[in-house]
Amino acid sequence: MEKKKRGASWVGALVVVAVLCVGAFFVARNIAGSRSSQLRTATLTPAYSGQTVRTLGDGIIYYDNASLHALDSGGKQIWSYAAGSNAGFSVGSGGVATWTGSILSILGADQGQSLFSGTLDGTILDARVGTVYAAIQMGEEQDSSILILDSSGRQVENISMDGQTVLDFGFFNNDSLLWVMTLNTDGTVPMSTITTYRPGKMLLGAVEDNQQVLYEVVFQASQIRAVGTTHIKDYDYYGKEITDNRILVYGWYLMSIDEDAANPLMAFVPIGQSDGIAGISDVRMIRGQIDQSVHLPYPASWVLAVEDAIYALTNQYVMVCHMGESVPTTYVLPIYVDGVLGITDNKTCVATSGGYVYLIPLP
């Protein structure tokens, strides 16, 4: 009888262990499920994945090789503009610029009303519209100039870029000042230069870097942050480096930056993962002098920085990680995503799937 009692106790212990294991399994699954919530809304838009699509406030604007169409956050068209064939366009703080050949039009972002339309003296390569001025690059790639117009369309300045490759340009300081990033390859070492101008008055200063190639610039309240192939460097507006702020980023590529923030978050990925083909597993988040790294639970194809968080997307998931967090929260996407075009001001992902463009609200 004693042996039977011991056997029963042994079987009972096994039952208790089994129940505890099953309970632990369901608890773990529930915890995992709570970190992989399902996103349920995906709004189909009239845009196709082969068209040029950009974010515009809470919505998007796209070009169908004949007209520009602006959509709100629900995918409803709010205005349309006949831009003509083979047109280019850009979105800025002061509205939308569209051009074809030497013809430039500037439109209001909210209603698409014409703010300026005219024919310039050269072929337009690119344009930026600020709230105070518009900057238009004209000519040839290696022999261009940047024309500055005020809000009435009056020419304020024409800056020669002869012999330099213009990488990017735009406005800062409430759109009252202009910056131009150029690359000069005439010498033995490529020289990257960021030049700042006060339109119609004077050259403010220049940042020159012959130690690395610069490919991104951010203007903050009292300094310029330049991102290169080796370092992030901070400068004052007159071009003097703040050497104590230098951050080593060799081996990392800036995938995304929240350009609208005063102190923007930057998302870097390893150079070997930057094409997204093999998947992005690691992201380095830098804001000011704060530098942290996060490992993604699923290899991502796209990484975007928005406010204080990164959004890393695969075909099926979006992983969200805020500054100060070490583990991303994962959400299941409502559709299979084969491309990501951007995130709007109200945190809606503009994604493509099966040749169509969708709007997916993000958490």
Side-chain angles (χ1 to χ4, degrees):
M1 294 293 296
E2 184 66 22
K3 288 182 180 179
K4 289 182 181 180
K5 288 181 179 179
R6 289 178 180 174
S9 299
W10 179 75
V11 171
L14 278 180
V15 171
V16 171
V17 171
V19 169
L20 291 175
C21 288
V22 171
F25 168 78
F26 281 107
V27 169
R29 191 177 71 171
N30 288 336
I31 293 174
S34 68
R35 298 190 68 81
S36 300
S37 301
Q38 175 77 49
L39 302 181
R40 302 190 180 279
T41 303
T43 301
L44 176 65
T45 75
Y48 296 97
S49 58
Q51 297 170 336
T52 303
V53 181
R54 294 192 174 93
T55 60
L56 180 66
D58 291 343
I60 64 171
I61 183 171
Y62 71 95
Y63 173 61
D64 63 6
N65 205 37
S67 298
L68 292 172
H69 305 280
L71 310 180
D72 63 15
S73 59
K76 180 181 177 181
Q77 182 171 301
I78 52 178
W79 58 263
S80 182
Y81 179 81
S85 61
N86 300 315
F89 78 94
S90 67
V91 177
S93 58
V96 177
T98 181
W99 60 90
T100 177
S102 60
I103 301 174
L104 172 71
S105 297
I106 298 176
L107 313 173
D110 294 333
Q111 300 176 359
Q113 72 275 21
S114 178
L115 303 178
F116 170 83
S117 183
T119 301
L120 306 183
D121 293 333
T123 301
I124 300 172
L125 302 176
D126 203 352
R128 302 285 186 274
V129 181
T131 55
V132 181
Y133 302 105
I136 303 95
Q137 184 189 7
M138 301 187 304
E140 305 294 333
E141 292 291 345
Q142 298 293 329
D143 184 19
S144 67
S145 63
I146 294 180
L147 177 67
I148 310 297
L149 303 179
D150 65 16
S151 56
S152 67
R154 181 182 63 89
Q155 179 177 323
V156 176
E157 193 166 355
N158 196 351
I159 305 168
S160 174
M161 295 289 128
D162 185 27
Q164 302 179 76
T165 300
V166 177
L167 301 179
D168 202 358
F169 60 99
F171 295 102
F172 69 105
N173 193 31
N174 296 320
D175 290 351
S176 63
L177 304 178
L178 173 75
W179 63 269
V180 181
M181 179 188 292
T182 60
L183 180 65
N184 191 330
T185 58
D186 290 341
T188 56
V189 178
M191 173 72 76
S192 298
T193 303
I194 301 167
T195 309
T196 57
Y197 302 88
R198 187 182 299 276
K201 293 186 178 180
M202 61 180 291
L203 173 72
L204 281 183
V207 171
E208 294 184 346
D209 197 330
N210 59 5
Q211 299 175 332
Q212 62 177 350
V213 174
L214 302 176
Y215 62 93
E216 187 66 58
V217 60
V218 179
F219 289 85
Q220 300 174 280
S222 60
Q223 66 187 35
I224 301 170
R225 168 154 283 199
V227 180
T229 51
T230 305
H231 291 97
I232 297 174
K233 296 181 179 180
D234 290 342
Y235 301 84
D236 64 24
Y237 280 172
Y238 298 97
K240 182 179 179 181
E241 185 187 355
I242 306 169
T243 55
D244 290 344
N245 290 2
R246 188 180 292 191
I247 301 174
L248 180 66
V249 290
Y250 181 77
W252 294 83
Y253 176 76
L254 178 62
M255 181 65 70
S256 180
I257 180 171
D258 182 15
E259 296 180 351
D260 294 331
N263 185 20
L265 172 64
M266 298 180 174
F268 288 81
V269 303
I271 290 178
Q273 302 175 16
S274 60
D275 58 7
I277 296 175
I280 299 167
S281 299
D282 299 284
V283 181
R284 190 172 167 189
M285 303 168 65
I286 298 177
R287 168 179 272 170
Q289 296 304 115
I290 302 174
D291 187 350
Q292 72 173 61
S293 296
V294 60
H295 183 75
L296 302 176
Y298 302 102
S301 297
W302 308 275
V303 174
L304 297 97
V306 180
E307 295 180 357
D308 72 333
I310 60 162
Y311 291 78
L313 295 100
T314 73
N315 301 118
Q316 298 172 289
Y317 302 99
V318 57
M319 295 158 281
V320 184
C321 188
H322 295 265
M323 287 293 290
E325 296 178 347
S326 58
V327 179
T329 302
T330 302
Y331 301 87
V332 181
L333 293 169
I335 58 174
Y336 183 90
V337 168
D338 53 34
V340 174
L341 305 178
I343 295 179
T344 67
D345 290 350
N346 65 346
K347 296 183 183 177
T348 295
C349 179
V350 185
T352 61
S353 180
Y356 298 95
V357 177
Y358 291 83
L359 301 177
I360 306 172
L362 298 175

